[in-house]
Amino acid sequence: MRGRGQAILVVAVNAVLSVLVPPLSWLSGAALALVTLRKGATEGAVVIAGALVGAALLAYLTVGSAMPAGSFLLVLWLPTWAVACVLRGTVSLATALESAAGLGLLAVLALHLLLGDATGWWSELLLGQLRAVEAELEAQQVEIIRGLIEYAVPYMTGLLVAAGLINLLIGLLFGRAWQARLYNPGGFRREFHALRLHRVTATVTAAVLLLVLVQGGPGLVTDLGAVLAVVYALAGLAAVHALVQLRGGGRVAWLVAVYLLLAIRLPEMTVALAALGLLNAWMDFGRLLGGKPGAADS
């Protein structure tokens, strides 16, 4: 907020350093989201252009190639900028999350179309990388890694897009929280607690997840379900925060317990939170318990 140069520096440097410390990508996305939310789409685009040049130069000087800057542009900055523009225009966190989910679904479809046999493509890529280093490993290690690759490759497309979506959403929420801290103290907490996705989106998501259960294995539908589960898990986490706030005493302990469970039982907690997010879209727990209506009704 002090100037374009400072914003470009923060966005570019944190993106490059995220190669070594991945969570720094959240700060890169958050800084870009803050600029876009506060100063508009054009200023956000200018920061992206400057950060692209800066990251390309830094990457070239450190790893001998400017290619990582292109990855930051496609995977982090452009999606974050687009969703921040939606949030700025609609002033609806629910709509912004649903637009992020739309980008994730498009990414899954594009990868399946481009790769054709996605499982075969990932298998060839990862096993090729293993063959390049297997001479340096013990035979038992090679077999373990080969087994992990064979287990993971059918799900790689959905997992990678879901991971990118998580990065996008964390950066967006950090940026929104920073904006509230600077210009509207307490506003982000109210907005996050009121987060409830729209019923139409929830109905489509429930249908996709039901198809995933019926299909019972990897494939396009499962990859689409992984993307939707991430968004609804975040909505479920917002519902947990809102319910704990309504409960009153012991709030910190409850939230610590939830985040500890997320850290040690991530897959199961993702499913549980996604289910809670879906239920909240139809039932609005905050209203039922005497709180304020969710964002979808506001």
Side-chain angles (χ1 to χ4, degrees), residues 50-135:
L52 180 62
V53 174
L57 180 60
L58 287 171
Y60 183 78
L61 292 174
T62 53
V63 299
S65 172
M67 290 299 292
S71 300
F72 302 142
L73 176 68
L74 294 176
V75 176
L76 177 62
W77 294 335
L78 285 180
T80 300
W81 173 81
V83 177
C85 287
V86 171
L87 180 54
R88 176 181 166 87
T90 63
V91 199
S92 168
L93 198 55
T95 303
L97 263 62
E98 288 166 352
S99 69
L103 289 177
L105 297 177
L106 288 175
V108 168
L109 291 171
L111 285 172
H112 274 271
L113 287 173
L114 290 172
L115 300 179
D117 177 14
T119 299
W121 190 89
W122 286 115
S123 180
E124 181 179 350
L125 175 67
L126 296 176
L127 289 176
Q129 293 179 343
L130 176 61
R131 285 191 293 270
V133 298
E134 65 181 347

Side-chain angles (χ1 to χ4, degrees), residues 122-284:
W122 286 115
S123 180
E124 181 179 350
L125 175 67
L126 296 176
L127 289 176
Q129 293 179 343
L130 176 61
R131 285 191 293 270
V133 298
E134 65 181 347
E136 304 171 10
L137 303 173
E138 296 180 2
Q140 186 177 6
Q141 292 176 314
V142 172
E143 287 305 311
I144 292 174
I145 296 172
R146 190 183 301 276
L148 290 173
I149 289 174
E150 291 174 354
Y151 175 79
V153 288
Y155 303 96
M156 281 297 293
T157 301
L159 289 174
L160 285 179
V161 174
L165 184 60
I166 290 171
N167 275 347
L168 186 163
L169 293 175
I170 291 176
L172 179 74
L173 293 180
F174 277 7
R176 189 63 158 179
W178 287 351
Q179 183 188 26
R181 187 177 181 86
L182 289 170
Y183 305 107
N184 181 26
F188 176 73
R189 175 183 291 183
R190 293 190 295 272
E191 187 175 30
F192 189 60
H193 287 183
L195 175 62
R196 185 166 69 90
L197 303 186
H198 299 89
R199 290 178 179 176
V200 173
T201 312
T203 302
V204 172
T205 299
V208 171
L209 295 180
L210 181 60
L211 285 175
V212 171
L213 293 175
V214 171
Q215 176 179 283
L220 174 61
V221 175
T222 300
D223 292 341
L224 296 174
V227 170
L228 293 170
V230 165
V231 175
Y232 273 87
L234 180 58
L237 188 61
V240 168
H241 276 261
L243 293 172
V244 169
Q245 176 74 21
L246 288 173
R247 184 181 181 278
R251 289 178 292 182
V252 174
W254 277 100
L255 292 177
V256 168
V258 168
Y259 282 100
L260 280 176
L261 284 172
L262 268 173
I264 62 178
R265 306 294 295 183
L266 180 61
E268 294 87 348
M269 283 296 292
T270 299
V271 172
L273 289 173
L276 181 62
L278 282 169
L279 286 174
N280 192 39
W282 286 303
M283 300 178 64
D284 192 357

